[in-house]
Amino acid sequence: MATCKRSNLPRIGIFGTGWTARMLIPMLTDNGFQVIAICGRKRESAERVANDLDIPFRTNNFQDFLLKSEVDLVCIVSPPHTHAEMAVKALSAGKHVLCSFPMALTQSDAEKMVTAARYYPSLLAVCQNPLRHIPAVVRMRELIADGFCGKLMVCEVVVRRGPLVHPKGFTWMCDKTMGGGILSSVGSYVVDVLAYLTSDRVREVNGQVRTLVSQLPGRVEGFRSIDSDDFATFTLNCHSGLYVTVTLNGHVPDQYSQELLMIGDQGRLILRGSELYGQANGEARERLLMRDDNMSKYGGADDDNLTIPPVMLSGTEQAVAGLSRAFSSSPVRMQVDMAMVADSATFEDGLYTNAVVDAINESSSTCRWQSVVVGDKGSQRNPFWTSNGGETERASPMLGTGRQNF
C-alpha cells in the first residue's frame, strides 16, 4: 500500500547515498514526506539509491541539486567534512536543513552554519541526534529535572561497538581529517545528549584518543593506513560540579552496547540501550522505569552489512515522526512549528559539541586539561570547501569544485 503524502509537508532532497540515507528515506516516506531528489559523490551511487527507492531526480552535481526549486528541505547525511558548505548553501537557497552528527569538521565551519541559521530564522536548521529522541532518554531528562537524582554528582558513560571500517575497505571513516573516528562519530552524540539531559555545559576536559589498529587485513592494508581513532576515554568537568567519565571502545566486534549512569545525592538513573532503570536512596535495588519494546521494521543493514544500532534506529524513527507532526501542525507547507522540534539539537548545540570534541583532541595531544572555548576559531580552515574567501581550496570529494560534477 502506498504511503499517503501530506500536501503541507516539505518535499525533501537527500544529500548523501550511504547506509544512513538508505535507512532514512523509507522512514521519511512512511511519515508522509516526499523524497524527490538525491545527490551523491558519484553519479552511479545516486542512480542506484534513486532506482532502489523510487526517487525521481538524481545527480552528482550539488549546485544542480540546490537549484531544484521543488526541494523544500535538505537532509544532509554525507561525511562530516561536507556538512557545513551544503548546510550554508541550502539555507541561502531558502531550504530547511536537517544535518546529521557530527555537525561540522571544525568549529570555524560550525560557526558559519550558526551564522546562516540565525540569518534565516524562519527556516528549520537542526542536527539529528537520535539519542535525544529515545523515549527512555526523554523520560530520563524529565526525572532529572523533577529531582529524582537530587544534585547531580557523577556520570559514567560506556559505549562498546565493533570497528567503524567499511567492509569494502578504506573510506572517510578511516581518515581523521574528514571527520572519521569514534570520538567524532560516537563521542559527539554522547557530548550532545549529556547537555540535553542535564542542561549543563562542560568547563574543562582531560582525555586520551588513540588509534590502536592502523590496518585491517583484507580491508585496509598495503600503502594505506587508518589514522582515525578507534578508542577514546575522557573526563568532563561541568560548570555545575558534575563530574563525567566517558569510554568509547571500538574493539568489540558484532555488538553495540551503551550505558549511561547518572548519580546524584538522592538517587541514580541508568540508561542501558533503550531501557531506563532507577534507584532512589533507600531502595534495595534498581527498578525498571521504561522499556522500548518496539522493534524497528527498517532493519538498519545495507547491502554491505553495515548495521545501525537498534537504539539509534528507534531514536531516528521518533525524530522523523516528530518532524512530520511539526510541519503537519501548520496549514502552510513550508512552515514548521518550532516548539514541536524543541528537543532537537540546534546548530548552536552542534557548535558547542564541536568545541568539546576539539578540547578532548587537544588534551590528548598535550596530555593536559583543556578549557572548552566555544567559537573564536576563525583561523581553522576546512580544506574541503570548494571556495573560501575567494580562494580555490582543495576540492571536496563530495562537493567538487565550482560546477564540476563529482
Side-chain angles (χ1 to χ4, degrees), residues 18 42 81 116-117 143 153 162 217 219 257 261 295 349 374-375 405:
K42 297 179 180 179
H81 63 281
L143 289 170
M153 300 185 299
R219 295 193 190 182
S257 66
L261 169 63
M295 295 297 293
D349 295 324
V374 180
N405 292 339

Side-chain angles (χ1 to χ4, degrees), residues 307-318:
T307 58
I308 299 173
V311 67
M312 303 297 272
L313 277 173
S314 173
T316 303
E317 286 185 70
Q318 297 290 334

Side-chain angles (χ1 to χ4, degrees), residues 180-194:
I182 198 166
L183 177 60
S184 175
S185 62
V186 178
S188 59
Y189 291 95
V190 172
V191 170
D192 176 68
V193 82
L194 286 170

Side-chain angles (χ1 to χ4, degrees), residues 115-138:
T115 299
R118 289 173 178 170
Y119 195 78
Y120 302 99
S122 64
L123 295 175
L124 181 72
V126 295
C127 301
Q128 170 57 13
N129 182 354
L131 294 179
R132 283 179 172 241
H133 302 279
I134 297 167
V137 171
V138 175

Side-chain angles (χ1 to χ4, degrees), residues 132-204:
R132 283 179 172 241
H133 302 279
I134 297 167
V137 171
V138 175
R139 181 59 180 150
M140 188 178 193
R141 185 180 189 233
E142 292 170 350
L143 289 170
I144 290 172
D146 289 342
F148 182 94
C149 297
K151 177 176 172 54
L152 299 179
M153 300 185 299
V154 176
C155 177
E156 295 178 356
V157 182
V158 179
V159 180
R160 302 182 184 91
R161 62 160 302 142
L164 291 165
V165 179
H166 197 284
K168 289 184 178 179
F170 193 93
T171 66
W172 67 270
M173 282 298 303
C174 302
D175 190 337
K176 195 174 183 71
T177 63
M178 290 187 179
I182 198 166
L183 177 60
S184 175
S185 62
V186 178
S188 59
Y189 291 95
V190 172
V191 170
D192 176 68
V193 82
L194 286 170
Y196 171 73
L197 285 170
T198 65
S199 301
D200 199 1
R201 292 295 174 101
V202 177
R203 180 170 54 86
E204 58 180 357

Side-chain angles (χ1 to χ4, degrees), residues 23 28 46 56 78 85 106 108-109 112 140 153 156 179 230 252 271 297 300 307 309 311 330 338 352 372 387:
M23 173 271 296
L28 289 165
S78 54
E85 184 167 10
T106 67
S108 179
D109 276 2
K112 292 182 176 72
M140 188 178 193
M153 300 185 299
E156 295 178 356
D230 49 36
V252 186
L271 178 72
K297 66 179 181 179
T307 58
V311 67
S330 171
M338 294 294 187
Y352 161 75
V372 174
S387 62

